[in-house]
Amino acid sequence: LEQLRTAGEQSQQAAVVRHDMAFHRWIVEAPGEPSLPGVWVPIVTRIRLVYSRHAHLREVYADHRAIFDLFQQKQLDQAIERLRLHIR
């Protein structure tokens, strides 16, 4: 997340995308279910389209930080809802 934050602050879109995809891959791989990465691939295309909704790339970090914090706090329903809205 810190690399995502730094890339966003420096408006480095390629790095933001790379770290964004790594964050989502972490979520998909965390449960250890081998079939989830295959389901994740079609979603990646949709995620790549959301950058235009942000006024600045540093906002991408704020979205991810909020999702991560909810997972860390074991507020899974809220984390999933926030993630669902994030990938719309």
Side-chain angles (χ1 to χ4, degrees), residues 3-80:
Q3 292 171 326
L4 177 61
R5 180 185 58 77
T6 300
E9 288 174 350
Q10 296 174 357
S11 297
Q12 297 175 343
Q13 186 166 3
V16 167
V17 172
R18 186 173 62 252
H19 298 304
D20 185 10
M21 294 301 105
F23 176 81
H24 289 276
R25 182 170 288 284
W26 170 78
I27 291 172
V28 169
E29 291 177 347
E33 172 58 48
S35 64
L36 284 178
V39 173
W40 176 71
V41 172
I43 296 170
V44 171
T45 305
R46 289 189 1 218
I47 292 171
R48 289 179 187 256
L49 300 175
V50 301
Y51 297 105
S52 61
R53 74 176 179 196
H54 297 290
H56 193 281
L57 287 175
R58 70 176 158 252
E59 294 173 8
V60 176
Y61 166 78
D63 282 352
H64 290 81
R65 182 82 233 182
I67 293 165
F68 179 80
D69 289 345
L70 288 168
F71 276 116
Q72 287 290 96
Q73 298 163 6
K74 300 195 186 310
Q75 296 179 22
L76 299 182
D77 290 340
Q78 294 93 332
I80 292 167

